[in-house]
Amino acid sequence: MCQVLGLERRGVMHSDQGTRFSIKGKPVYHYCAVSSFSEYTVVHTGCAVKVSSAAPLEKICLLSCGLATGLGAAWNVADISKGSTVVIFGLGTVGLSVAQGAKIRGASQIIGVDTNPEKRDKAKDFGITEFINPNDCNEPIQQVIKRITDGGADYSFECIGDTGMITTALQSCCDGWGLTVTLGVPKVKPEVSAHYGLFLSGRTLKGSLFGGWKPKSDLPSLVDMYMNKEIKIDEFITHNLPFEEINKAFELMREGKCLRCVIHMPK
């Protein structure tokens, strides 16, 4: 969120608005100022983070986005309390990372909602106590959640990237103090709409970016937590593929057949 660096979306360096890559004289742009699908890259010094040299890069690369985002949403943004009830919409890497964070914080009930039945068993490993597939329900999912939580969850997390689900997530929260956190990035219809009565009854809707972490200062501590076996990372890696098969990795992601696929450069 830095005012100087910010979120670079044009694919150029901040210093001279140029690129550091080219092919046959044509510029190759730096996606999100990272360009990690290359053996070597150039980043602004403000975006480089020094971490433990003992940490395996092919594992901790997951902390660059989804995994850290989910943990931070649970710990920094929502600040989940012990004994609370949590519902998570979308059980990809981000959603399961929220579950891991909720479990570590001592939540008593962690409900996972996903339309992919294959997620059920995997979700239990990350702390999900109850799995709900909306396609198997005869009533709106928010009604199911209100019933099994006796009035609504303390915290709900929207990890799908569907703005229509934000209302459902809000309705799944309890009156008075229910908190909904949005983490998903919508592919269509970025506008959010919700009935004002949901807020009048005391619910809160909170946005988040990268789980509220400050990468420069916070990422090294997350790496240390992994090295001390305090958080899981390895379990999120379902596939390892060579760079030549990067398109296969995207297909696996689109088909919902992987959590995280690590791309390996040729040696």
Side-chain angles (χ1 to χ4, degrees):
M1 302 298 277
C2 170
Q3 287 184 331
V4 177
L5 296 176
L7 282 171
E8 174 53 65
R9 294 187 180 90
R10 291 172 298 157
V12 294
M13 298 297 287
H14 291 83
S15 56
D16 60 4
Q17 302 301 300
T19 70
R20 296 296 180 270
F21 298 112
S22 64
I23 293 180
K24 296 178 182 177
K26 292 184 178 180
V28 175
Y29 295 97
H30 304 241
Y31 180 72
C32 281
V34 178
S35 286
S36 59
F37 292 149
S38 56
E39 288 181 274
Y40 298 94
T41 192
V42 182
V43 298
H44 190 285
T45 179
C47 302
V49 180
K50 186 176 182 179
V51 298
S52 168
S53 58
L57 293 173
E58 71 276 12
K59 307 289 187 186
I60 63 167
C61 56
L62 268 69
L63 291 172
S64 64
C65 190
L67 207 152
T69 299
L71 285 173
W75 295 344
N76 304 327
V77 183
D79 193 16
I80 290 174
S81 56
K82 186 176 181 180
S84 58
T85 55
V86 176
V87 59
I88 303 163
F89 294 87
L91 299 179
T93 297
V94 174
L96 292 176
S97 296
V98 172
Q100 179 178 196
K103 182 181 179 182
I104 292 171
R105 276 291 178 92
S108 61
Q109 192 176 25
I110 307 171
I111 303 162
V113 180
D114 202 292
T115 55
N116 183 350
E118 294 178 13
K119 296 281 180 75
R120 181 188 298 270
D121 294 336
K122 190 83 175 173
K124 298 288 171 67
D125 298 336
F126 293 98
I128 296 292
T129 57
E130 286 150 89
F131 177 88
I132 301 174
N133 184 339
N135 295 334
D136 297 337
C137 300
N138 297 321
E139 58 184 327
I141 192 68
Q142 58 267 34
Q143 297 297 333
V144 177
I145 291 163
K146 284 205 163 205
R147 189 174 67 253
I148 62 177
T149 56
D150 192 23
D154 298 308
Y155 308 95
S156 70
F157 296 83
E158 194 286 315
C159 306
I160 301 169
D162 178 355
T163 49
M165 286 301 297
I166 291 176
T167 295
T168 302
L170 278 165
Q171 291 172 331
S172 302
C173 277
C174 62
D175 291 338
W177 61 84
L179 173 65
T180 295
V181 179
T182 63
L183 291 89
V185 179
K187 300 168 188 64
V188 294
K189 193 184 173 291
E191 297 82 13
V192 175
S193 59
H195 195 284
Y196 185 69
L198 291 171
F199 303 107
L200 205 60
S201 58
R203 293 174 177 84
T204 301
L205 176 63
K206 225 173 174 185
S208 67
L209 178 67
F210 194 56
W213 300 111
K214 293 179 180 177
K216 195 86 170 174
S217 51
D218 293 334
L219 271 176
S221 62
L222 283 173
V223 171
D224 290 342
M225 288 184 77
Y226 166 68
M227 297 298 284
N228 294 331
K229 294 182 168 53
E230 295 170 38
I231 58 173
K232 294 180 178 181
I233 291 183
D234 298 31
E235 291 80 358
F236 286 92
I237 302 172
T238 53
H239 297 77
N240 286 277
L241 292 174
F243 183 71
E244 305 85 73
E245 296 182 29
I246 189 168
N247 288 337
K248 181 182 176 183
F250 278 111
E251 285 305 316
L252 286 166
M253 179 183 70
R254 274 194 284 261
E255 293 168 4
K257 293 180 178 177
C258 76
L259 285 177
R260 278 292 180 265
C261 177
V262 176
I263 300 294
H264 295 263
M265 292 293 172
K267 294 181 179 174

